[in-house]
Coordinates of all heavy atoms in Angstrom, one line a residue:
M262 N 93.0 -27.7 159.6 CA 93.0 -29.3 159.3 C 94.1 -29.9 159.8 O 94.4 -31.1 159.5 CB 92.7 -29.6 157.8 CG 91.4 -29.1 157.3 SD 89.9 -29.8 158.0 CE 89.8 -31.4 157.0
S263 N 95.0 -29.2 160.6 CA 96.2 -29.9 161.1 C 96.2 -29.9 162.5 O 96.9 -29.1 163.3 CB 97.4 -29.0 160.5 OG 97.3 -27.7 161.0
E264 N 95.3 -30.8 163.2 CA 95.3 -30.9 164.5 C 96.5 -31.7 165.1 O 97.1 -32.4 164.3 CB 94.0 -31.7 165.0 CG 92.7 -30.9 164.5 CD 91.6 -31.9 164.7 OE1 91.4 -32.6 165.8 OE2 90.7 -31.9 163.8
T265 N 96.7 -31.6 166.4 CA 98.0 -32.3 166.8 C 97.4 -33.7 167.5 O 97.5 -34.0 168.6 CB 98.5 -31.5 167.9 OG1 97.6 -31.1 169.0 CG2 99.4 -30.4 167.4
T266 N 96.7 -34.5 166.8 CA 96.4 -35.9 167.1 C 97.7 -36.8 167.0 O 98.3 -36.8 166.1 CB 95.3 -36.4 166.2 OG1 94.2 -35.4 166.2 CG2 94.8 -37.7 166.8
P267 N 97.8 -37.7 168.1 CA 99.0 -38.5 168.1 C 98.8 -39.5 166.9 O 97.7 -39.8 166.4 CB 98.8 -39.2 169.4 CG 97.9 -38.4 170.2 CD 97.1 -37.7 169.4
V268 N 100.1 -39.8 166.3 CA 99.9 -40.7 165.2 C 100.0 -42.1 165.6 O 99.9 -43.0 164.7 CB 101.0 -40.3 164.2 CG1 100.8 -39.0 163.5 CG2 102.4 -40.5 164.9
T269 N 100.3 -42.4 166.9 CA 100.2 -43.8 167.4 C 99.3 -43.8 168.5 O 99.2 -42.9 169.3 CB 101.8 -44.2 167.9 OG1 102.2 -43.2 168.8 CG2 102.7 -44.3 166.7
P270 N 98.7 -44.9 168.6 CA 97.7 -45.2 169.7 C 98.4 -45.3 171.2 O 99.6 -45.8 171.1 CB 97.0 -46.5 169.4 CG 97.9 -47.2 168.4 CD 98.8 -46.1 167.7
K271 N 97.7 -44.9 172.2 CA 98.2 -45.2 173.5 C 98.2 -46.7 173.8 O 97.6 -47.4 173.1 CB 97.3 -44.6 174.5 CG 97.3 -43.0 174.6 CD 96.3 -42.7 175.7 CE 95.9 -41.2 175.5 NZ 94.8 -41.0 176.6
P272 N 99.0 -47.1 174.8 CA 98.9 -48.4 175.2 C 97.5 -48.8 175.6 O 96.8 -48.0 176.0 CB 99.9 -48.6 176.5 CG 100.8 -47.5 176.3 CD 100.0 -46.4 175.5
C273 N 97.3 -50.2 175.6 CA 95.8 -50.6 176.1 C 95.6 -50.1 177.4 O 96.3 -50.2 178.3 CB 95.9 -52.2 176.0 SG 94.2 -52.9 176.5
H274 N 94.2 -49.6 177.5 CA 93.7 -49.2 178.9 C 93.4 -50.3 179.8 O 93.3 -49.9 181.0 CB 92.5 -48.3 178.6 CG 91.4 -48.9 177.8 ND1 91.5 -49.1 176.4 CD2 90.4 -49.5 178.2 CE1 90.4 -49.7 176.0 NE2 89.7 -50.1 177.0
K275 N 93.3 -51.5 179.1 CA 93.0 -52.6 180.1 C 94.3 -53.3 180.7 O 94.4 -53.8 181.8 CB 92.1 -53.5 179.4 CG 90.6 -53.1 179.2 CD 89.7 -54.2 178.7 CE 88.3 -53.6 178.7 NZ 87.5 -54.6 178.1
C276 N 95.2 -53.6 179.8 CA 96.2 -54.4 180.1 C 97.6 -53.8 179.9 O 98.6 -54.4 180.4 CB 96.2 -55.8 179.2 SG 96.5 -55.6 177.6
G277 N 97.7 -52.7 179.3 CA 98.9 -52.1 179.2 C 99.8 -52.5 177.9 O 100.9 -51.9 177.7
A278 N 99.3 -53.4 177.2 CA 100.1 -54.0 176.0 C 99.9 -52.9 175.0 O 99.1 -52.0 175.0 CB 99.4 -55.3 175.5
P279 N 100.9 -52.9 174.0 CA 100.9 -51.9 172.9 C 99.5 -52.2 172.1 O 99.1 -53.3 171.9 CB 102.1 -52.5 172.0 CG 102.8 -53.2 172.9 CD 102.0 -53.8 173.9
A280 N 99.0 -51.1 171.6 CA 97.9 -51.2 170.7 C 98.2 -51.1 169.3 O 99.2 -50.6 168.9 CB 96.8 -49.9 171.1
E281 N 97.4 -51.6 168.4 CA 97.8 -51.7 167.0 C 96.6 -51.1 166.1 O 95.5 -51.3 166.5 CB 98.2 -53.0 166.6 CG 97.2 -54.1 166.8 CD 97.7 -55.4 166.6 OE1 98.9 -55.6 166.5 OE2 97.0 -56.4 166.6
V282 N 96.9 -50.4 165.1 CA 95.9 -49.9 164.1 C 95.7 -51.1 163.1 O 96.6 -51.6 162.5 CB 96.3 -48.6 163.4 CG1 95.2 -48.2 162.5 CG2 96.7 -47.6 164.5
V283 N 94.4 -51.4 163.0 CA 93.9 -52.4 162.1 C 93.2 -51.6 160.9 O 92.4 -50.6 161.0 CB 92.9 -53.3 162.6 CG1 92.5 -54.4 161.6 CG2 93.6 -54.0 163.9
K284 N 93.6 -52.0 159.6 CA 93.0 -51.4 158.5 C 92.2 -52.4 157.7 O 92.9 -53.6 157.4 CB 94.2 -50.8 157.5 CG 93.7 -50.2 156.3 CD 94.9 -49.5 155.6 CE 94.4 -48.7 154.5 NZ 94.2 -49.3 153.2
A285 N 91.1 -52.3 157.4 CA 90.3 -53.2 156.6 C 89.6 -52.5 155.3 O 88.8 -51.8 155.6 CB 89.2 -53.8 157.4
G286 N 90.1 -52.9 154.2 CA 89.6 -52.1 153.0 C 90.2 -50.8 153.0 O 91.1 -50.4 153.8
S287 N 89.6 -49.9 152.3 CA 90.2 -48.6 152.1 C 89.8 -47.5 153.1 O 90.5 -46.5 153.4 CB 90.1 -47.9 150.6 OG 88.7 -47.9 150.4
R288 N 88.6 -47.7 153.8 CA 88.2 -46.7 154.6 C 87.7 -47.2 155.9 O 86.8 -46.7 156.5 CB 87.0 -45.9 153.9 CG 87.6 -44.9 152.9 CD 86.5 -44.3 152.0 NE 85.5 -43.5 152.9 CZ 85.8 -42.3 153.3 NH1 87.0 -41.7 152.9 NH2 84.9 -41.6 154.0
R289 N 88.2 -48.3 156.4 CA 87.8 -48.8 157.7 C 89.0 -49.1 158.5 O 89.9 -49.9 158.2 CB 87.0 -50.2 157.5 CG 85.7 -50.1 156.9 CD 85.1 -51.4 156.6 NE 84.8 -52.1 157.8 CZ 84.7 -53.4 158.0 NH1 85.0 -54.2 157.0 NH2 84.4 -54.0 159.1
F290 N 89.0 -48.3 159.6 CA 90.2 -48.4 160.4 C 89.7 -48.6 161.9 O 88.6 -48.0 162.4 CB 91.0 -47.1 160.4 CG 91.7 -46.9 159.1 CD1 91.1 -46.3 158.1 CD2 93.0 -47.1 159.1 CE1 91.7 -46.1 156.9 CE2 93.7 -47.0 157.8 CZ 93.0 -46.4 156.8
W291 N 90.4 -49.3 162.8 CA 90.1 -49.2 164.2 C 91.4 -49.7 164.9 O 92.4 -50.0 164.3 CB 89.0 -50.1 164.6 CG 89.2 -51.7 164.4 CD1 89.8 -52.5 165.3 CD2 88.9 -52.3 163.2 NE1 89.8 -53.7 164.8 CE2 89.4 -53.6 163.5 CE3 88.4 -52.0 162.0 CZ2 89.2 -54.8 162.6 CZ3 88.2 -53.1 161.0 CH2 88.7 -54.5 161.3
V292 N 91.4 -49.4 166.2 CA 92.6 -49.7 167.0 C 92.2 -50.7 168.0 O 91.1 -50.8 168.6 CB 93.0 -48.4 167.7 CG1 94.2 -48.9 168.6 CG2 93.4 -47.4 166.9
Q293 N 92.9 -51.8 168.1 CA 92.7 -52.8 169.1 C 94.0 -53.2 169.8 O 95.1 -52.9 169.4 CB 92.2 -54.1 168.4 CG 93.2 -54.9 167.5 CD 92.4 -55.9 166.8 OE1 91.4 -55.9 166.5 NE2 93.2 -57.0 166.4
C294 N 93.8 -53.8 171.0 CA 94.9 -54.2 171.9 C 95.7 -55.4 171.0 O 95.0 -56.2 170.3 CB 94.4 -54.9 173.1 SG 95.6 -55.5 174.2
S295 N 97.0 -55.3 171.2 CA 97.8 -56.4 170.4 C 97.5 -57.7 171.0 O 98.0 -58.8 170.5 CB 99.3 -56.1 170.5 OG 99.8 -55.9 171.9
R296 N 96.8 -57.8 172.2 CA 96.6 -59.1 172.7 C 95.2 -59.5 172.4 O 94.6 -60.5 173.0 CB 96.7 -59.1 174.3 CG 98.2 -59.0 174.6 CD 98.2 -59.0 176.1 NE 99.6 -58.9 176.6 CZ 100.0 -58.7 177.9 NH1 99.1 -58.7 178.8 NH2 101.3 -58.6 178.2
Y297 N 94.5 -58.6 171.6 CA 93.1 -59.1 171.2 C 93.0 -60.2 170.3 O 93.9 -60.4 169.4 CB 92.5 -57.7 170.6 CG 91.0 -57.8 170.2 CD1 90.1 -57.6 171.3 CD2 90.6 -58.1 169.1 CE1 88.7 -57.7 171.0 CE2 89.3 -58.2 168.7 CZ 88.4 -58.0 169.7 OH 87.0 -58.1 169.4
A298 N 92.0 -61.0 170.4 CA 91.6 -62.1 169.4 C 92.8 -63.0 169.4 O 92.8 -64.1 170.1 CB 91.4 -61.4 168.1
G299 N 93.8 -62.8 168.5 CA 94.9 -63.8 168.3 C 95.4 -64.4 169.7 O 95.5 -65.7 169.7
Q300 N 95.7 -63.5 170.6 CA 96.3 -64.1 171.9 C 95.0 -64.4 172.8 O 95.3 -65.2 173.7 CB 97.1 -62.9 172.6 CG 98.2 -62.4 171.6 CD 99.4 -63.4 171.5 OE1 99.4 -64.3 172.2 NE2 100.1 -63.1 170.5
G301 N 93.9 -63.8 172.7 CA 92.8 -64.1 173.3 C 92.7 -63.6 174.8 O 91.8 -64.1 175.6
T302 N 93.6 -62.7 175.2 CA 93.6 -62.4 176.6 C 93.1 -61.0 176.9 O 92.9 -60.6 178.0 CB 95.1 -62.4 177.0 OG1 95.8 -61.6 176.3 CG2 95.6 -63.9 177.2
C303 N 92.6 -60.2 175.9 CA 92.1 -58.9 176.1 C 91.0 -58.6 175.2 O 91.0 -59.0 174.0 CB 93.3 -57.9 176.0 SG 92.8 -56.3 176.6
S304 N 90.1 -57.8 175.6 CA 88.9 -57.6 174.8 C 88.9 -56.1 174.3 O 87.9 -55.6 173.8 CB 87.6 -57.9 175.4 OG 87.5 -57.3 176.7
A305 N 90.0 -55.4 174.5 CA 89.9 -53.9 174.2 C 89.8 -53.6 172.7 O 90.8 -54.2 172.1 CB 91.0 -53.2 174.8
I306 N 88.9 -52.9 172.3 CA 88.9 -52.6 170.8 C 88.1 -51.3 170.7 O 87.3 -51.0 171.5 CB 88.2 -53.7 170.0 CG1 88.3 -53.4 168.6 CG2 86.8 -53.9 170.5 CD1 88.0 -54.6 167.6
G307 N 88.7 -50.4 169.8 CA 88.2 -49.1 169.7 C 87.1 -49.0 168.6 O 87.0 -50.0 167.8
S308 N 86.4 -47.9 168.6 CA 85.4 -47.8 167.6 C 86.1 -47.6 166.2 O 87.1 -47.1 166.0 CB 84.6 -46.5 167.9 OG 84.1 -46.5 169.1
Q309 N 85.3 -48.0 165.2 CA 85.6 -48.1 163.8 C 85.5 -46.6 163.3 O 84.7 -45.8 163.7 CB 84.7 -49.0 162.9 CG 85.4 -49.5 161.8 CD 84.5 -50.4 161.1 OE1 83.8 -50.2 160.2 NE2 84.6 -51.8 161.5
A310 N 86.4 -46.2 162.3 CA 86.4 -45.0 161.7 C 86.8 -45.1 160.3 O 87.3 -46.1 160.0 CB 87.4 -44.0 162.5
D311 N 86.7 -44.0 159.6 CA 87.1 -44.1 158.1 C 88.4 -43.6 157.9 O 88.8 -43.4 156.7 CB 86.0 -43.4 157.3 CG 85.9 -42.0 157.5 OD1 86.6 -41.3 158.3 OD2 84.9 -41.3 157.0
N312 N 89.2 -43.2 159.0 CA 90.6 -42.9 158.7 C 91.4 -43.2 160.0 O 90.9 -43.4 161.1 CB 90.8 -41.4 158.2 CG 90.3 -40.5 159.4 OD1 91.0 -40.2 160.4 ND2 89.1 -39.8 159.1
R313 N 92.6 -43.4 159.7 CA 93.5 -43.8 160.8 C 93.6 -42.9 162.0 O 93.4 -43.2 163.1 CB 95.0 -43.9 160.1 CG 96.1 -44.3 161.1 CD 97.4 -44.2 160.5 NE 98.4 -44.6 161.5 CZ 98.9 -45.8 161.6 NH1 98.5 -46.7 160.8 NH2 99.8 -46.1 162.4
K314 N 93.5 -41.6 161.6 CA 93.7 -40.6 162.7 C 92.4 -40.6 163.7 O 92.7 -40.6 164.8 CB 93.8 -39.1 162.0 CG 94.0 -38.0 163.0 CD 94.3 -36.8 162.1 CE 94.1 -35.5 162.8 NZ 94.2 -34.4 162.0
E315 N 91.2 -40.7 163.1 CA 90.1 -40.8 163.9 C 90.0 -42.1 164.6 O 89.5 -42.1 165.7 CB 88.9 -40.7 163.0 CG 87.6 -40.3 163.6 CD 86.4 -40.3 162.7 OE1 86.6 -39.6 161.5 OE2 85.3 -40.6 163.0
A316 N 90.5 -43.2 164.0 CA 90.5 -44.5 164.8 C 91.3 -44.3 166.0 O 91.1 -44.8 167.0 CB 91.0 -45.5 163.8
I317 N 92.4 -43.7 165.8 CA 93.4 -43.5 167.0 C 92.8 -42.6 168.0 O 92.9 -42.9 169.3 CB 94.8 -43.0 166.6 CG1 95.5 -44.0 165.7 CG2 95.6 -42.5 167.8 CD1 96.7 -43.6 165.0
A318 N 92.2 -41.6 167.6 CA 91.5 -40.6 168.6 C 90.4 -41.4 169.3 O 90.1 -41.1 170.6 CB 90.8 -39.5 167.8
N319 N 89.6 -42.3 168.6 CA 88.5 -43.0 169.3 C 89.2 -43.9 170.3 O 88.6 -44.1 171.5 CB 87.8 -43.8 168.2 CG 86.9 -43.1 167.4 OD1 86.6 -42.0 167.6 ND2 86.4 -43.7 166.2
W320 N 90.2 -44.6 170.0 CA 90.8 -45.5 171.0 C 91.5 -44.6 172.2 O 91.2 -45.0 173.3 CB 92.1 -46.1 170.3 CG 93.0 -46.8 171.1 CD1 94.2 -46.3 171.6 CD2 92.8 -48.2 171.7 NE1 94.7 -47.3 172.4 CE2 93.9 -48.6 172.4 CE3 91.8 -49.2 171.5 CZ2 94.0 -49.7 173.2 CZ3 92.1 -50.4 172.2 CH2 93.2 -50.6 173.0
N321 N 92.1 -43.6 171.9 CA 92.8 -42.8 172.9 C 91.7 -42.2 174.1 O 92.2 -41.9 175.1 CB 93.7 -41.7 172.3 CG 95.0 -42.2 171.8 OD1 95.2 -43.5 172.0 ND2 95.6 -41.3 171.1
K322 N 90.5 -41.9 173.5 CA 89.6 -41.4 174.5 C 88.8 -42.5 175.4 O 88.1 -42.2 176.3 CB 88.5 -40.5 173.8 CG 87.6 -41.3 173.0 CD 86.7 -40.2 172.2 CE 85.8 -41.0 171.2 NZ 85.2 -40.0 170.3
I323 N 89.1 -43.7 175.2 CA 88.4 -44.8 176.0 C 89.2 -44.9 177.3 O 90.4 -44.6 177.3 CB 88.8 -46.3 175.3 CG1 88.1 -46.4 173.8 CG2 88.2 -47.3 176.2 CD1 88.4 -47.6 173.2
R324 N 88.3 -45.0 178.3 CA 88.9 -45.0 179.7 C 88.6 -46.3 180.3 O 87.4 -46.7 180.2 CB 88.4 -43.9 180.6 CG 89.1 -42.5 180.1 CD 90.5 -42.5 180.6 NE 91.4 -41.6 179.8 CZ 92.7 -41.6 179.9 NH1 93.3 -42.5 180.8 NH2 93.4 -40.9 179.2
Ligands
LIG631 ZN1 94.7 -55.0 176.2

């Protein structure tokens, strides 16, 4: 159960901006571009997961 998954998401695959992990409630996590929504310049967002590690893995596999 100790995989070597990165603990931080890769930069955005669309614009290269740093990505950020979003937590909503106790078991809802996803990763989105730091320019998503608030800045309104990028639409990159990862799949939702029930833990941080999986959310980052979902994000990192987007191409
Ligand atoms: Zn982006």
